[in-house]
């Protein structure tokens, strides 16, 4: 997997955290440095942790399903992407102004579940997980921090568009993986 593909996967995965960060920014009204650091660390940290866990789960099953791994990667990314697109068309979710451990952990886990499945996909594609997970985490940190600031300035205008964009990116990457393994491109 090349850097550009990893970049687009990282951006796609970060869109849920970005959307929640925008809502957090809306709820606090002012992007204080402690809020920016909090959303960046929680969302970036979990976005790095979850693909790592998924990778090690995938490595354990890789030998048993190697002949269909490209289909699994495609299906997982299509489902994740489809869910993100569906959620982007749904009702706005209310996210409170709290930044306590319980709330932030719940939000970070909820926004990074898709990264767990991507980690499984990384195992099938023999991706070097340490730099990939670190890159995903760092990029999510920056995107989440920006989302909080954007939320204080622009509100919910970009939330749905960001989530839909992330979903489309993940579906397209899944399709590319499938087509490459089938020898079509």
């Amino acid at each position: 997997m090349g850097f550009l593909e990893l970049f687009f996967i990282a951006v796609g995965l970060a869109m849920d955290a970005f959307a929640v960060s925008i809502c957090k920014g809306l709820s606090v009204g002012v992007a204080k440095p402690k809020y920016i650091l909090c959303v960046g660390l929680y969302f970036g940290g979990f976005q790095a942790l979850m693909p790592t866990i998924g990778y090690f789960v995938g490595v354990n099953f890789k030998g048993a399903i190697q002949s269909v791994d490209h289909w699994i990667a495609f299906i997982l990314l299509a489902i994740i992407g489809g869910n993100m697109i569906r959620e982007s068309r749904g009702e706005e979710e209310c996210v409170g102004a709290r930044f306590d451990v319980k709330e932030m952990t719940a939000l970070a886990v909820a926004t990074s579940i898709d990264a767990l499945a991507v980690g499984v996909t990384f195992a099938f594609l023999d991706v070097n997980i340490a730099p990939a997970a670190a890159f995903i985490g760092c990029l999510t940190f920056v995107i989440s921090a920006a989302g909080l600031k954007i939320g204080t300035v622009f509100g919910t205008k970009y939330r749905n568009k960001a989530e839909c964009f992330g979903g489309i990116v993940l579906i397209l990457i899944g399709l590319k993986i499938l087509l490459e393994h089938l020898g079509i491109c």
Side-chain angles (χ1 to χ4, degrees), residues 9-28:
I9 286 175
V11 168
L13 290 173
M15 288 300 107
D16 275 349
F18 178 71
V20 172
S21 296
I22 288 174
C23 295
K24 280 286 192 192
L26 253 176
S27 68
V28 296

Side-chain angles (χ1 to χ4, degrees), residues 20 24 35 38-40 42-43 46 98-111:
V20 172
K24 280 286 192 192
Y35 297 150
C38 183
V39 297
Y42 269 97
F43 294 142
F46 273 83
R98 295 183 6 225
F99 286 86
D100 59 80
V101 173
K102 183 179 178 183
E103 169 138 343
M104 290 306 298
T105 300
L107 290 172
V109 168
T111 59

